[in-house]
Amino acid sequence: MSDPIAYEEEALGKAYDSRLLALLWPFVSPYRWQVLLTLLMVVPMFLIEVAPAWIIKSGLDYVYVPDSSTATESPLAAWILDPPFGWSTILWLALLYLAVALLSMLLQFAHMVLMAVTGQSAMRDLRKAVFDKIQSLHLGFFDQYPVGRLVTRTSNDVENVAEMFTAGVVALITDVFKMIGFAVVLFWVNPKLALATFAVVPFLAVASVIFRLRVREAFRAVRVRIARINAYIQENVTGMKVVQLFTREARNMREFDRMNADHRDAWNSSIRFEALLFAAVDTAAGVTTAIIIWYGTGLVEAGVLYQFIDYMRRFFRPMQDLSAKYSVMQSSMASSERIFQLLETPVEVMDVSSEASPVPVPGLEGTVRFENVWFAYQGEDWVLRDLSFEVGAGERVAFVGATGAGKTTIINLLSRLYEVKRGRILVGGVDIRLMSQEDLRRRVATVLQDVFLFNGSVADNISLGRKDLSRSEIEQAAQIVEAHPFIARLPEGYETEVRERGTNFSAGQRQLLSFARAVAHGGEILVLDEATSSIDRETEALIQRGIHTLMEGKTALAIAHRLSTVQDVDRIYVLDQGRLAESGSHDHLMSLGGKYAGLFDLQRHQEVSTESDSALDWSASPVS
Amino acid sequence: MVRSMSAAPVTSAAEMGESPVRHALRRLSVYLRRNGVYYTGWTILTLFYVAAFVAVPILVGWAIEGALSKDVSQSEMTFRFSTLLGVSLVRGVLRFFSRYLVFTAAREVEYEMRNDLFGHLQRLPQSFYFNWRTGDLMSRCVNDLNAVRLMLGPGLLSVVQTPVLFLGVLVAMFVLDPLLALLVIIPYPLFILIARAFGTSLHMRSLEQQVGLANLSNQVQEVVSGISVVKAYAMESEQARRFKDVNEDLYRRVLRLVVVNGAMPAITGLLPAVGMFAVLLVGGSRIHDGHMDVAEFFTFAMYIWELTFPTFIMGWVVALVQRGSAAMQRIDEVLSVEPSIRDHDEVEAVESLRGEVEFRNLHFRYGDESSAVALEDVSLHVPAGSTLGVVGPVGSGKTTLASVIPRLYEVEDGQVFLDGVDVNRLPLGMLRSNIAMVPQDSFLFSLSLAENVAYGLGEDATDEEVAQAAQRAQLTKDIHELPHGFATLVGERGVMLSGGQRQRTALARALALRPSILILDDTLSAVDAATESAIQAELSEVFKGRTVVVVASRVSTVRDCDQIIVMDQGRLVEHGTHASLMAGQGLYARLASEQARSDRANDHPETTEATSPTQESTS
């Protein structure tokens, strides 16, 4: 899969900046007043940055130097130079300066908190949207999308987008506003000197454009490589047992080292550009200072000189961490693009309306009906072809057939994990597409072949978070499938924690738990994808009895691998390449001498050869 | 539902009375030393940079003085300006190289540490992976490593450079005007107090934020991995509720961090303002009284400007260092786990195995004394080249027994012997390359089918070897059904294959090794009966001259074994051959008869269809 990953990451990086911002808007818009306030705060923040140099300029030109003119230009300057309480003008100016600094600090802090609250609220909503989206996607999606990447979407990628909001968009708008502001102020103070001062700006502008182009390439390479590294770690941690059993450590280390070194090298060029820009801006500020002094002396007073140097530095500062912002923006853009790609994945299976799910047609409760169902996982690669059958309430049917015959697909379609391509499926006389998925899946209890255990207690794993299930109901369910004895033996019984994916339970124990789940969840229709033999036959015998209890009064559909299941069913459907080949009772099918009889004989032949020299008497064993 | 921190098998640095930062430094010193060239070069550059940094404001003052004064010649002025320009340029160049070197070094350390982490993970035993979630480990390898890198790059740059800058500026100011210098510098030591006041809570809150992020990742990871159950049982709203909790929790944790994170630089920003206040008050008066000229005022003002950015950055850097050292601690929780399964200090120089296996009073439990006994007093001798069948009910210890042979789990000395040598004393590499095990979960890697089969072979594996192993595992017939034959990519965990195909690929992978001991742990559960008998027939060839341990739930799978043992609740309860055990009418006979009854009917071909990966989310 390394290539598809690379492909995906490679395809990104085209900056659809405006499009992405538009996509982000719905998440920001609930907080638009906060955003507006955040942006409006730039104005007082700018003014408060202009103030200190103004105060010092007033000091230099009118106060400190004794022989300077005392002519004041404006009421504001007059106010600045008119200390109250008979304070000396020098003390008054210094105090004013300190007050401005304090105010500036408070404003900055308030701005930062406001920005963080707004950004994080939006990101919390975005995270929720990503998670809800993940849960709403049909099962086929997960075959192509590795777990690790979905985790990254909700955690790191969302964090990156939050960064874009705070360190990116807002910071950028603030910076641009301030730069324009300072330029205007400089021209206002002295147009001639301002013009001379801006001499280096075109050079810097060109430098930053070149920087932008070069660094984008570098960042793209970095992203592709880090994605590879993370996928590699994830896979090898998950399969570490195999790695160790097959002594692959040394070779894996070499492979990993190569990827890791590639990633480091990709960074090197971006570091070079970043440092270059940083130093260039620094130098530009130094050169400009020299120009101001050279050209300005004699042209303006010392105070104005001070003002120019001060504002010029503030003008350049945003350019200095431009690279930092740019790198944040780049990785955020990539992150948000990945997030929106995920959010825009079409939901194949969805509820038709938010209205209440239709109730079963009276008299048809508990029935299942497939009407000319066609299905393909991919394109025209039909897995089910025109399949029709009907299971009455309380009936038990089994599906048999070779690999690829479509048995498991029937289950997937019945609980609507995938959508039928043609035809329809009725449960209780209602098209399942008209029912809410939740309602459908409450009616149809499915026992999957592979058991997934969640983090939490054993009891949680049986109730699966349904609050209305009491402890005694949970235990009762475990009793029915005879999982209770082994659970009781666990150190903390039903409260025993299930470790990641249930590694502290054997395959058989996990199976028993999944049966208990199905029992606890009820539903008038039971769908059973029998496990083949991860449960040893003794345990199997235990649960067979439980399954019988469970099936009482229910419609049951089983993917059968066991005689005991096939024996008891009302009807057996034999599938062949997605079509219904035969159906009927065991005896009927045997008498047909068709596919079913063939399968049966193959099996029987093998068993007989096994039994040939042993004194086994089948009939002597107790049949439940 | 969070793995409690106490479960991490290390004492945290705090418990050992070491501050997190100091701990991080101690742990990082190895890497810093290894990249000594970068750091030495950077240190020298820093000294020159500081000299240029200190010189610029003096040169500015000098230039202004010349410009304002009437009696400085034009050529003298040109000289002063060119010096200012030249030093500014040099400062820029030095700044470039200084940043370049330190950031490159940080990437180098990141690279080395990532290699070390991965290498370490590969050495840790299976018991480690019981206690640690994948999401948690990933978060340490990705997020935490990144935080450490930031600490070493911008963090270290600022932490080392800023004090030197201060020192240089202080000296220069003292030479110019001692009193004013003192007044300007007085507020700065307050920074240390500010950093201390904020440091601890920054550290705690960044740790909390990391935990919040890890919880969120785990929640997503779990839902995605178990998506088929989530959907089949309509658990979406319950899971959404759980997610909402971790999401809200993370939101709160981030904001708590942000407040401290933002308050600190803001307060730090006040320090230069206090310095400037002193300059305005004292400097202003002095100029007024004619004791100071305007040029010197400019020099002082410039020093304060120049120090503003490094000081401001320091606030951010403290956060960076705190986060970095918290992250280092989390990385160290992994790195400091001793690989309990490694070569013994007194390793026996054994070069290959014949395959004799012996258990002597083997006791085993997963975890400490409080955990349940998994194996109890198992004694057994399996001669080299013979076959052993292991059967028993769920949780009876069959898999555990098989797993201690290749030392997947740690057993005490004197309990498991191969060729008469304690398994703990055998070289681990030799041991595992002589044993091939097919684990219950047939985990495949997202490589091509051929690469999966050749997984345990060296890089020089030939196509014939692969083809032969595939043939023996009855995989060949599937090959041409696959889109690209042997070159087909099997997808993450082999999702592109059916359950039976996965199991047979895992079998082929083991057979390719040509091991002395072959362990099959219920290997063919998803293989249909016809295929299984074909494999069995082929395997009897493979079994020749090898010790084979077959763990099975079907009695029919083990009936031809030279000896068969029956496990129950961790104990070996029956031992013999198929015939003798059948005659015994014990657990084995019961199992056999029940299975025969149910197997009498059909056992349909491979249960998991190639086209439906739905059921394959677990392994």
Side-chain angles (χ1 to χ4, degrees):
Chain A
M1 295 286 274
S2 59
D3 288 334
I5 290 175
Y7 176 75
E8 186 204 79
E9 298 291 338
E10 222 95 57
L12 297 170
K14 293 176 241 144
Y16 308 111
D17 305 18
S18 53
R19 191 185 70 95
L20 286 173
L21 288 177
L23 286 169
L24 205 57
W25 179 244
F27 296 95
V28 178
S29 84
Y31 307 99
R32 55 184 175 277
W33 296 115
Q34 283 102 309
V35 174
L36 190 65
L37 187 58
T38 315
L39 292 178
L40 284 180
M41 275 179 82
V42 173
V43 178
M45 283 169 76
F46 168 72
L47 291 178
I48 218 132
E49 257 194 85
V50 173
W54 214 283
I55 293 169
I56 292 169
K57 177 227 174 216
S58 305
L60 279 171
D61 287 353
Y62 306 124
V63 184
Y64 306 148
V65 184
D67 59 343
S68 55
S69 76
T70 48
T72 52
E73 309 144 35
S74 64
L76 180 68
W79 182 78
I80 287 178
L81 293 173
D82 182 24
F85 315 118
W87 291 347
S88 86
T89 318
I90 291 177
L91 174 67
W92 170 235
L93 284 180
L95 283 173
L96 264 182
Y97 178 89
L98 203 59
V100 165
L102 201 68
L103 195 62
S104 160
M105 180 202 92
L106 289 175
L107 261 177
Q108 267 178 35
F109 182 70
H111 185 242
M112 197 274 311
V113 170
L114 185 65
M115 203 157 69
V117 171
T118 314
Q120 289 297 327
S121 304
M123 290 315 116
R124 179 193 52 194
D125 299 350
L126 180 60
R127 232 181 254 127
K128 184 181 176 305
V130 173
F131 184 81
D132 288 346
K133 181 72 188 191
I134 290 175
Q135 287 208 112
S136 75
L137 287 166
H138 75 290
L139 225 48
F141 171 81
F142 296 90
D143 303 335
Q144 274 118 49
Y145 224 102
V147 181
R149 252 187 272 167
L150 288 172
V151 172
T152 312
R153 294 298 165 272
T154 39
S155 54
N156 300 21
D157 281 341
V158 174
E159 292 240 304
N160 284 345
V161 176
E163 283 275 295
M164 168 164 83
F165 180 74
T166 52
V169 177
V170 173
L172 211 70
I173 294 175
T174 311
D175 285 351
V176 169
F177 180 86
K178 280 186 182 173
M179 285 173 82
I180 295 173
F182 282 118
V184 168
V185 171
L186 285 173
F187 273 98
W188 182 52
V189 171
N190 190 317
K192 255 188 182 172
L193 187 53
L195 216 54
T197 311
F198 282 112
V200 292
V201 172
F203 295 104
L204 268 188
V206 171
S208 63
V209 167
I210 294 172
F211 165 82
R212 210 180 101 104
L213 292 176
R214 302 299 289 271
V215 120
R216 187 197 302 188
E217 290 307 311
F219 282 147
R220 198 175 296 172
V222 163
R223 270 205 310 280
V224 173
R225 291 170 193 188
I226 192 70
R228 270 187 205 145
I229 287 180
N230 292 342
Y232 194 81
I233 299 179
Q234 164 109 28
E235 177 170 50
N236 282 283
V237 163
T238 323
M240 192 55 80
K241 189 199 270 182
V242 178
V243 170
Q244 293 179 345
L245 276 172
F246 287 84
T247 53
R248 251 305 256 246
E249 293 96 330
R251 186 162 156 200
N252 280 0
M253 196 65 233
R254 282 198 302 279
E255 278 176 16
F256 185 75
D257 179 63
R258 254 200 308 280
M259 287 185 239
N260 197 4
D262 275 353
H263 170 248
R264 176 200 56 193
D265 297 342
W267 268 113
N268 275 347
S269 58
S270 103
I271 290 173
R272 204 162 44 237
F273 292 124
E274 191 270 337
L276 206 57
L277 185 73
F278 200 89
V281 176
D282 204 35
T283 311
V287 170
T288 313
T289 306
I291 294 177
I292 292 172
I293 299 168
W294 185 307
Y295 193 73
T297 332
L299 194 70
V300 295
E301 301 89 347
V304 178
L305 223 58
Y306 183 92
Q307 254 183 320
F308 256 86
I309 299 176
D310 185 295
Y311 293 155
M312 218 31 225
R313 303 174 70 82
R314 292 180 197 270
F315 176 83
F316 278 124
R317 187 167 302 155
M319 293 185 91
Q320 192 139 44
D321 52 3
L322 185 73
S323 63
K325 279 168 200 145
Y326 188 74
S327 99
V328 167
M329 286 294 274
Q330 279 291 303
S331 71
S332 315
M333 283 292 171
S335 286
S336 53
E337 194 161 339
R338 286 192 293 243
I339 288 175
F340 287 112
Q341 249 175 20
L342 175 62
L343 287 179
E344 285 171 348
T345 312
V347 177
E348 284 195 12
V349 179
M350 63 177 113
D351 294 344
V352 275
S353 70
S354 53
E355 287 162 40
S357 189
V359 292
V361 176
L364 289 177
E365 295 94 342
T367 61
V368 175
R369 189 181 156 94
F370 273 54
E371 281 180 7
N372 310 96
V373 171
W374 288 72
F375 181 77
Y377 287 98
Q378 274 167 354
E380 298 277 296
D381 216 347
W382 298 112
V383 178
L384 294 184
R385 298 156 203 261
D386 200 27
L387 184 69
S388 299
F389 64 84
E390 192 168 0
V391 185
E395 273 191 320
R396 294 172 195 178
V397 300
F399 294 89
V400 299
T403 308
K407 300 181 306 254
T408 307
T409 306
I410 291 175
I411 292 186
N412 289 339
L413 293 181
L414 180 55
S415 42
R416 216 173 153 221
L417 296 176
Y418 293 84
E419 198 84 295
V420 296
K421 300 286 183 204
R422 298 182 205 160
R424 58 176 189 159
I425 298 171
L426 305 169
V427 165
V430 178
D431 189 328
I432 58 170
R433 283 171 295 198
L434 300 176
M435 303 167 79
S436 78
Q437 292 172 64
E438 184 162 345
D439 183 43
L440 170 68
R441 290 171 194 157
R442 290 245 189 266
R443 290 177 192 281
V444 181
T446 313
V447 178
L448 298 170
Q449 193 181 68
D450 269 336
V451 185
F452 185 88
L453 296 186
F454 292 87
N455 292 306
S457 67
V458 170
D460 292 340
N461 265 289
I462 296 174
S463 70
L464 291 179
R466 254 177 69 176
K467 298 276 181 295
D468 54 327
L469 285 173
S470 69
R471 169 53 65 85
S472 65
E473 281 172 300
I474 291 171
E475 289 190 19
Q476 203 186 341
Q479 289 276 11
I480 290 173
V481 299
E482 308 197 27
H484 181 79
F486 100 79
I487 298 173
R489 275 207 304 276
L490 293 170
E492 287 164 68
Y494 284 83
E495 289 310 312
T496 306
E497 283 289 309
V498 174
R499 295 212 191 94
E500 187 175 11
R501 290 161 172 263
T503 40
N504 51 344
F505 292 91
S506 72
Q509 288 170 332
R510 294 205 290 264
Q511 278 291 345
L512 288 178
L513 286 177
S514 90
F515 287 121
R517 264 178 198 171
V519 177
H521 282 253
E524 61 255 35
I525 297 162
L526 178 76
V527 177
L528 184 69
D529 192 2
E530 275 191 339
T532 27
S533 61
S534 52
I535 291 195
D536 61 277
R537 301 303 161 104
E538 191 191 35
T539 316
E540 173 86 30
L542 291 180
I543 63 160
Q544 283 298 342
R545 288 197 295 277
I547 287 177
H548 276 267
T549 325
L550 171 64
M551 284 180 169
E552 292 292 332
K554 288 189 178 171
T555 311
L557 290 83
I559 303 294
H561 313 294
R562 302 275 183 285
L563 173 65
S564 48
T565 313
V566 180
Q567 232 170 20
D568 292 344
V569 298
D570 299 312
R571 207 160 43 255
I572 299 167
Y573 290 108
V574 184
L575 293 175
D576 186 32
Q577 296 182 12
R579 293 178 200 279
L580 202 56
E582 297 164 10
S583 71
S585 69
H586 172 73
D587 292 339
H588 172 70
L589 291 172
M590 285 307 285
S591 68
L592 282 179
K595 294 223 175 267
Y596 181 79
L599 281 167
F600 188 81
D601 283 341
L602 175 75
Q603 180 65 32
R604 187 184 178 87
H605 173 73
Q606 196 199 7
E607 291 300 331
V608 169
S609 69
T610 311
E611 307 299 328
S612 57
D613 60 351
S614 68
L616 260 180
D617 182 4
W618 298 358
S619 55
S621 58
V623 178
S624 51
Chain B
M1 234 93 53
V2 187
R3 189 186 54 76
S4 70
M5 290 303 283
S6 63
V10 261
T11 14
S12 81
E15 283 170 49
M16 301 187 311
E18 190 183 26
S19 82
V21 177
R22 198 175 293 261
H23 168 262
L25 270 182
R26 184 170 56 79
R27 293 288 310 170
L28 285 170
S29 62
V30 186
Y31 297 100
L32 298 184
R33 227 171 293 145
R34 217 181 292 164
N35 291 291
V37 182
Y38 287 111
Y39 288 107
T40 315
W42 172 60
T43 310
I44 297 167
L45 277 181
T46 300
L47 292 178
F48 283 107
Y49 172 68
V50 170
F53 183 91
V54 172
V56 168
I58 294 177
L59 292 174
V60 167
W62 198 36
I64 288 182
E65 190 211 338
L68 290 176
S69 149
K70 305 278 179 288
D71 38 270
V72 177
S73 70
Q74 192 59 39
S75 62
E76 167 71 9
M77 276 310 297
T78 313
F79 174 67
R80 289 188 184 185
F81 278 116
S82 347
T83 318
L84 174 59
L85 270 176
V87 174
S88 294
L89 282 172
V90 169
R91 188 180 68 166
V93 172
L94 288 167
R95 188 155 208 186
F96 165 74
F97 281 108
S98 140
R99 287 180 81 83
Y100 179 63
L101 273 184
V102 79
F103 290 163
T104 306
R107 285 289 171 193
E108 192 66 35
V109 172
E110 178 197 14
Y111 155 79
E112 287 173 8
M113 200 179 284
R114 188 181 278 122
N115 262 358
D116 288 355
L117 255 172
F118 185 75
H120 188 73
L121 285 175
Q122 290 202 113
R123 278 190 296 277
L124 289 172
Q126 287 306 305
S127 53
F128 172 84
Y129 294 97
F130 263 23
N131 292 322
W132 289 74
R133 295 199 213 146
T134 311
D136 194 2
L137 286 175
M138 282 307 289
S139 149
R140 285 169 208 246
C141 288
V142 181
N143 305 338
D144 289 329
L145 192 56
N146 205 33
V148 169
R149 200 255 312 157
L150 283 175
M151 170 170 77
L152 284 179
L156 192 69
L157 178 75
S158 171
V159 164
V160 171
Q161 194 173 277
T162 310
V164 188
L165 283 181
F166 267 94
L167 199 69
V169 170
L170 192 62
V171 169
M173 288 198 302
F174 259 96
V175 172
L176 287 172
D177 189 333
L179 176 67
L180 204 51
L182 199 66
L183 288 173
V184 167
I185 218 75
I186 274 176
Y188 286 96
L190 278 175
F191 176 78
I192 297 167
L193 288 179
I194 297 170
R196 288 208 171 209
F198 284 98
T200 320
S201 69
L202 257 182
H203 175 66
M204 292 311 296
R205 289 174 187 201
S206 60
L207 211 61
E208 283 167 12
Q209 186 247 358
Q210 302 267 14
V211 171
L213 196 61
N215 288 348
L216 185 109
S217 303
N218 274 323
Q219 173 63 20
V220 178
Q221 162 129 16
E222 191 174 70
V223 166
V224 173
S225 309
I227 191 73
S228 47
V229 183
V230 169
K231 286 186 174 286
Y233 284 91
M235 290 168 74
E236 287 96 336
S237 52
E238 162 68 9
Q239 293 296 347
R241 196 191 54 71
R242 281 202 203 186
F243 183 80
K244 186 171 180 289
D245 289 347
V246 285
N247 195 12
E248 289 291 335
D249 183 56
L250 178 62
Y251 169 76
R252 277 191 300 270
R253 286 173 195 237
V254 171
L255 284 190
R256 275 168 53 82
L257 177 64
V258 161
V259 170
V260 189
N261 222 349
M264 200 173 145
I267 293 178
T268 313
L270 270 186
L271 300 176
V274 176
M276 197 62 202
F277 172 75
V279 172
L280 287 184
L281 203 57
V282 177
S285 311
R286 289 196 178 184
I287 297 172
H288 190 75
D289 302 343
H291 298 310
M292 188 171 151
D293 60 19
V294 174
E296 200 182 326
F297 180 90
F298 268 89
T299 305
F300 266 88
M302 277 212 69
Y303 276 133
I304 291 170
W305 284 340
E306 299 283 4
L307 288 183
T308 306
F309 188 62
T311 315
F312 182 76
I313 281 289
M314 277 301 270
W316 176 66
V317 164
V318 169
L320 218 61
V321 170
Q322 295 291 352
R323 204 182 320 155
S325 40
M328 189 63 227
Q329 222 168 345
R330 283 165 51 81
I331 289 175
D332 218 28
E333 279 173 7
V334 176
L335 281 180
S336 63
V337 178
E338 281 289 309
S340 60
I341 297 182
R342 57 173 190 275
D343 280 348
H344 197 278
D345 295 336
E346 295 161 42
V347 68
E348 300 270 345
V350 178
E351 278 169 17
S352 70
L353 291 177
R354 283 178 295 114
E356 181 193 353
V357 180
E358 192 184 358
F359 302 110
R360 289 186 201 156
N361 309 105
L362 173 61
H363 283 77
F364 181 80
R365 47 178 103 222
Y366 292 98
D368 55 17
E369 289 300 311
S370 61
S371 46
V373 175
L375 290 175
E376 198 173 353
D377 201 23
V378 176
S379 294
L380 180 71
H381 181 248
V382 186
S386 73
T387 52
L388 169 74
V390 185
V391 290
V394 182
S396 59
K398 302 182 298 259
T399 297
T400 312
L401 187 73
S403 301
V404 298
I405 302 174
R407 271 185 89 190
L408 278 183
Y409 301 113
E410 186 74 302
V411 291
E412 280 172 38
D413 285 350
Q415 300 195 331
V416 180
F417 294 84
L418 299 183
D419 290 1
V421 182
D422 191 321
V423 74
N424 292 345
R425 301 255 173 158
L426 288 167
L428 195 59
M430 186 282 301
L431 174 76
R432 292 200 178 141
S433 49
N434 277 278
I435 299 176
M437 181 168 178
V438 186
Q440 224 169 26
D441 55 346
S442 22
F443 184 94
L444 299 184
F445 291 85
S446 54
L447 302 166
S448 73
L449 189 73
E451 285 168 310
N452 267 296
V453 173
Y455 196 75
L457 302 172
E459 267 152 299
D460 52 354
T462 64
D463 291 351
E464 289 85 72
E465 282 179 288
V466 172
Q468 199 180 20
Q471 174 63 42
R472 286 182 161 166
Q474 300 297 310
L475 194 59
T476 317
K477 70 176 166 73
D478 301 72
I479 304 280
H480 26 260
E481 286 171 18
L482 293 168
H484 306 290
F486 270 121
T488 307
L489 292 174
V490 303
E492 201 183 15
R493 290 155 175 270
V495 290
M496 308 309 273
L497 303 181
S498 76
Q501 286 170 337
R502 280 208 308 264
Q503 286 192 340
R504 279 176 282 130
T505 308
L507 180 65
R509 178 171 67 189
L511 294 181
L513 279 188
R514 308 178 167 278
S516 320
I517 302 175
L518 178 64
I519 302 168
L520 307 176
D521 186 4
D522 218 349
T523 307
L524 302 173
S525 60
V527 171
D528 64 79
T531 313
E532 188 187 352
S533 59
I535 294 176
Q536 295 278 11
E538 184 77 32
L539 282 184
S540 56
E541 272 310 298
V542 179
F543 285 6
K544 275 187 190 132
R546 297 207 158 90
T547 309
V548 182
V549 178
V550 184
V551 176
S553 32
R554 286 185 220 183
V555 164
S556 59
T557 312
V558 300
R559 58 186 299 281
D560 293 326
C561 290
D562 298 330
Q563 52 178 336
I564 297 168
I565 59 170
V566 183
M567 301 290 297
D568 192 19
Q569 294 185 32
R571 270 192 296 267
L572 194 163
V573 290
E574 285 170 38
H575 184 191
T577 61
H578 180 73
S580 75
L581 289 170
M582 287 310 292
Q585 289 300 313
L587 184 54
Y588 184 83
R590 266 205 340 269
L591 286 171
S593 64
E594 269 175 22
Q595 287 171 19
R597 172 178 52 74
S598 61
D599 283 355
R600 189 170 41 169
N602 55 354
D603 198 323
H604 287 290
E606 301 192 6
T607 52
T608 318
E609 293 153 35
T611 40
S612 151
T614 316
Q615 312 300 317
E616 301 167 6
S617 51
T618 52
S619 59

